[in-house]
């Protein structure tokens, strides 16, 4: 009871001190607010960078050059103002004049597409192979050296688009050549697991003679045997007619339903498997109730145009590669899935600064024990019937109560004034606050018990506060701490506290998720508290 009275008295004294109020409440809120503004404030999920002024000089009259320029123009990003273009593109014809605009600071960069861009890109491949005499197709990028962010963005985007162009052109040419090599006598395995009345008709439809010149069709007794051959590279695909096919046909199933009982298992990396699948499903759908009377079961254009297969594939490649692939496969802008979430950086910086200034408060509070020792008031207090342990508990308890009230005020004000979201686990926040304050107070008491005098305690306390803040993530995101420094970071109260509060406020985790942080903080608090009491008792033995 006497320890409680001492704790309450010390707490009231501290909260009557105007300077202490500024240090405990006003300073952390102000610094957190300033840091939140400096690093983007609210809505940081949206890009703060958009409409970068850029000049594109397209000296190439070919299709690839125009496509390259169009991609740069059409890139968009999500901003707080909505979807906006990443670049504000101005087209110019003279490269030297455009570069002068960069030197004058009118734009942040110039992208120059040379006159022979399309020609060099197209001539780099001969007969589906990469030409031995090919030269690099050069796209020049000029950026403003005085800018900090935009040059890296411009260079990165252009490099990404250029890499995509190379991938699309090379990939399409090589893929078609490989496909043409494999569209005659494709080795295919046929497994008929159906034992119904339609089984014989299915076997007849997949007779190897029906696919002469296209498939080298071979029957397999079961899927295990077929899988073994597929694994050894002896086949490009397996056509599996599953049990129940006859029943689906007899029940009047549609072509789509019947075809669903035919599976095509491709070999890894097979380019011919899509042709096999299209033909097999076309045959199967011909058994459906919606098939037209007298119609051929195989309607896939590959079979209908076997004599002109090469021209069909080349035409398809040209359509895909030139009209769709470059635009759809290379664009570096991302699609938004769902609604963007507002990310308030104050959700990170308010707990961060609360922990940081809490350390100052508890170190200053426990240091007051040494100040009273120097002034003689502590020894006079020990001459009273109050035991030494009760006095120490009361002094340390007063610091603990001060820290709890400080944190509670910061939580309330930041939530009401700055709209800081403290998560959906009030019990988790409460336990994190109590555990953090307990660990910090006990550490402060240990430093005070170890120090020789008040001044030494102040120096050591300030050093520990700053080192723990740097290592624990009060000034930078603790997830950005290098891996080699992580073990040291986890020795600090700040790291465990920051991790727990961040998981609750930013990531919406539950009490169970942050329970390890709470347990560690309480464990550190208990350890420091016991050591502090032992040292204080030895110190004041007369």
């Amino acid at each position: 009871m006497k320890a409680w009275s001492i704790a309450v008295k010390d707490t009231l004294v501290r909260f009557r001190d105007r300077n202490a109020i500024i240090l405990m409440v006003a300073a952390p809120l102000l610094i957190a607010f300033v840091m939140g503004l400096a690093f983007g404030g609210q809505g940081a999920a949206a890009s703060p960078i958009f409409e970068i002024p850029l000049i594109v000089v397209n000296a190439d009259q070919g299709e690839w050059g125009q496509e390259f320029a169009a991609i740069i123009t059409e890139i968009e990003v999500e901003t707080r103002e909505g979807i906006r273009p990443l670049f504000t593109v101005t087209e110019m014809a003279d490269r030297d004049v455009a570069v002068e605009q960069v030197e004058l600071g009118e734009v942040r960069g110039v992208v120059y597409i040379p006159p022979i861009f399309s020609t060099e890109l197209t001539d780099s491949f001969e007969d589906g192979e990469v030409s031995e005499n090919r030269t690099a197709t050069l796209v020049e990028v000029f950026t403003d050296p005085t800018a900090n962010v935009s040059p890296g963005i411009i260079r990165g985007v252009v490099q990404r688009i250029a890499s995509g162009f190379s991938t699309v052109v090379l990939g399409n040419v090589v893929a078609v050549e490989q496909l043409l090599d494999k569209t005659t006598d494709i080795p295919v395995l046929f497994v008929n697991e159906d034992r119904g009345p339609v089984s014989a008709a299915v076997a007849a439809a997949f007779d190897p003679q029906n696919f002469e010149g296209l498939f080298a069709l071979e029957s397999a007794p079961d899927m295990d045997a077929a899988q073994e051959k597929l694994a050894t590279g002896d086949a490009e695909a397996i056509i599996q007619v599953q049990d129940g096919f006859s029943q689906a046909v007899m029940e009047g199933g549609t072509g789509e339903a019947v075809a669903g009982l035919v599976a095509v298992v491709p070999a890894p990396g097979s380019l011919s498997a899509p042709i096999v699948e299209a033909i097999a499903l076309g045959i199967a759908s011909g058994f459906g109730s919606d098939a037209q009377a007298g119609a051929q079961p195989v309607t896939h254009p590959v079979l209908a145009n076997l004599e002109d297969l090469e021209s069909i594939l080349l035409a398809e490649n040209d359509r895909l590669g030139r009209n769709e692939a470059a635009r759809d496969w290379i664009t570096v802008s991302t699609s938004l899935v769902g609604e963007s979430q507002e990310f308030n950086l104050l959700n990170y910086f308010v707990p961060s600064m609360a922990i940081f200034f809490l350390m100052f408060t508890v170190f200053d509070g426990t240091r007051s024990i040494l100040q009273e020792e120097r002034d003689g008031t502590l020894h006079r207090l020990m001459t009273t019937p109050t035991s030494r342990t009760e006095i120490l508990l009361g002094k340390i308890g007063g610091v603990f109560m001060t820290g709890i009230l400080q944190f509670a005020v910061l939580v309330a004000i930041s939530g009401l004034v700055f709209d800081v979201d403290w998560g959906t686990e009030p019990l988790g926040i409460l336990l994190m606050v109590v555990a953090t304050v307990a660990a910090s107070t006990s550490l402060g008491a240990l430093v005070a018990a170890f120090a020789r005098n008040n001044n030494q305690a102040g120096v050591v306390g300030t050093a520990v506060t700053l080192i723990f803040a740097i290592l624990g993530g009060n000034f930078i995101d603790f997830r950005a701490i290098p891996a080699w420094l992580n073990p040291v970071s986890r020795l600090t109260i700040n790291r465990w506290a920051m991790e727990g509060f961040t998981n609750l406020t930013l990531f919406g985790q539950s009490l169970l998720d942050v329970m390890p942080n709470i347990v560690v903080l309480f464990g550190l608090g208990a350890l420091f508290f016991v050591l502090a009491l032992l040292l204080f008792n030895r110190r004041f033995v007369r």
Side-chain angles (χ1 to χ4, degrees):
M1 204 50 201
K2 292 180 180 179
W4 171 257
S5 300
I6 295 172
V8 172
K9 185 268 296 180
D10 284 359
T11 302
L12 292 175
V13 168
R14 289 190 182 90
F15 273 90
R16 288 171 185 161
D17 185 347
R18 183 170 56 187
N19 293 331
I21 295 294
I22 294 175
L23 179 67
M24 290 189 295
V25 179
L29 287 176
L30 179 61
I31 294 177
F33 179 69
V34 171
M35 293 180 73
L37 291 178
F39 287 97
Q42 296 185 355
S47 172
I49 301 173
F50 58 94
E51 295 183 355
I52 300 171
L54 179 70
I55 295 177
V56 174
V57 179
N58 181 19
D60 178 51
Q61 299 303 315
E63 184 177 0
W64 290 109
Q66 296 175 16
E67 194 68 35
F68 200 107
I71 291 173
I72 296 176
T73 304
E74 295 171 4
I75 295 175
E76 296 178 332
V77 293
E78 169 78 358
T79 73
R80 289 187 293 271
E81 289 78 18
I83 302 294
R84 304 294 289 273
L86 178 60
F87 302 115
T88 300
V89 176
T90 303
E91 297 182 3
M92 296 185 69
D94 192 314
R95 184 184 68 168
D96 294 336
V97 174
V99 173
E100 288 180 4
Q101 297 298 305
V102 177
E103 295 174 352
L104 294 173
E106 299 296 328
V107 294
R108 289 291 175 263
V110 171
V111 177
Y112 175 69
I113 304 171
I116 56 175
F117 179 76
S118 293
T119 304
E120 285 189 344
L121 201 60
T122 305
D123 293 346
S124 296
F125 306 95
E126 298 174 356
D127 299 327
E129 302 263 338
V130 180
S131 173
E132 295 180 358
N133 300 320
R134 75 178 298 269
T135 57
T137 304
L138 180 65
V139 175
E140 295 181 275
V141 177
F142 304 88
T143 57
D144 184 356
T146 63
N148 295 322
V149 179
S150 55
I153 295 175
I154 296 171
R155 287 192 298 268
V157 168
V158 173
Q159 182 62 48
R160 185 75 176 271
I161 297 173
S163 299
F165 264 75
S166 301
T167 301
V168 169
V169 176
L170 178 60
N172 280 331
V173 171
V174 174
V176 167
E177 289 301 317
Q178 291 178 351
L179 188 58
L180 289 173
D181 290 340
K182 292 180 177 292
T183 48
T184 57
D185 296 327
I186 302 171
V188 179
L189 298 170
F190 176 68
V191 178
N192 186 5
E193 298 177 340
D194 182 64
R195 297 295 180 265
V198 186
S199 178
V202 172
F206 283 96
D207 190 289
Q209 295 181 357
N210 296 337
F211 305 93
E212 188 174 352
L214 180 62
F215 295 161
L217 193 66
E218 179 184 348
S219 295
D222 52 44
M223 281 299 293
D224 291 337
Q227 289 281 10
E228 289 181 7
K229 285 195 171 184
L230 192 71
T232 58
D234 294 333
E236 289 287 315
I238 301 172
I239 300 174
Q240 178 193 20
V241 179
Q242 300 171 354
D243 187 27
F245 184 88
S246 290
Q247 183 178 355
V249 174
M250 300 301 292
E251 291 177 352
T254 63
E256 181 179 359
V258 172
L261 291 168
V262 175
V264 175
V265 181
S270 173
L271 295 172
S272 305
I275 296 178
V276 178
E277 182 178 21
I279 294 174
L281 296 182
I283 294 174
S285 64
F287 286 85
S289 60
D290 52 355
Q292 296 180 0
Q296 294 294 327
V298 180
T299 58
H300 193 269
V302 173
L303 283 186
N305 299 278
L306 278 178
E307 295 180 357
D308 199 27
L309 179 60
E310 181 172 350
S311 62
I312 292 174
L313 290 173
L314 290 175
E316 177 66 14
N317 175 70
D318 183 71
R319 182 191 69 79
L320 179 64
R322 295 182 179 276
N323 298 334
E324 295 182 5
R327 183 182 301 276
D328 294 339
W329 294 0
I330 301 175
T331 303
V332 294
S333 59
T334 57
S335 300
L336 301 175
V337 181
E339 298 181 357
S340 61
Q341 287 186 330
E342 287 294 317
F343 173 65
N344 190 349
L345 280 177
L346 292 179
N347 287 348
Y348 186 91
F349 285 121
V350 168
S352 170
M353 290 299 101
I355 295 168
F356 180 57
F357 280 91
L358 170 68
M359 300 289 283
F360 279 114
T361 299
V362 297
F363 278 117
D364 184 68
T366 52
R367 192 160 55 93
S368 66
I369 299 175
L370 302 182
Q371 186 173 350
E372 291 192 18
E373 179 190 26
R374 182 195 63 188
D375 296 339
T377 55
L378 184 63
H379 290 293
R380 287 197 297 271
L381 186 61
M382 289 182 177
T383 60
T384 65
T386 306
S387 67
R388 185 167 54 250
T389 301
E390 285 182 308
I391 294 172
L392 292 175
L393 288 175
K395 291 294 181 182
I396 297 174
V399 177
F400 175 76
M401 290 177 61
T402 302
I404 292 291
L405 291 175
Q406 175 187 355
F407 228 113
V409 172
L410 288 174
V411 170
I413 295 179
S414 63
L416 294 174
V417 178
F418 300 117
D419 198 28
V420 172
D421 183 7
W422 287 91
T424 57
E425 286 281 357
L427 181 58
I429 291 293
L430 175 61
L431 289 176
M432 277 299 305
V433 169
V434 174
T436 302
V437 175
S440 302
T441 302
S442 299
L443 178 60
L446 178 61
V447 170
F450 180 79
R452 293 181 179 180
N453 51 54
N454 185 34
N455 292 334
Q456 189 182 62
V459 172
V460 175
T462 301
V464 170
T465 298
L466 293 175
I467 293 173
F468 275 32
I470 294 171
L471 293 176
N474 289 104
F475 301 135
I476 62 171
D477 190 341
F478 59 83
R479 292 166 297 181
I481 294 175
W484 64 270
L485 199 57
N486 251 323
V488 181
S489 173
R490 290 196 174 275
L491 295 176
T492 67
I493 294 171
N494 305 54
R495 172 62 182 269
W496 291 100
M498 282 302 306
E499 198 173 75
F501 281 115
T502 301
N503 288 338
L504 289 173
T505 60
L506 288 182
F507 305 124
Q509 294 188 4
S510 65
L511 171 61
L512 187 62
D513 295 320
V514 299
M515 189 56 70
N517 301 76
I518 296 172
V519 171
V520 169
L521 289 170
F522 274 124
L524 290 174
L527 174 64
F528 296 150
F529 183 73
V530 171
L531 293 176
L533 281 183
L534 291 175
L535 288 176
F536 268 130
N537 276 318
R538 290 180 57 187
R539 184 188 192 112
F540 297 124
V541 170
R542 291 176 293 181

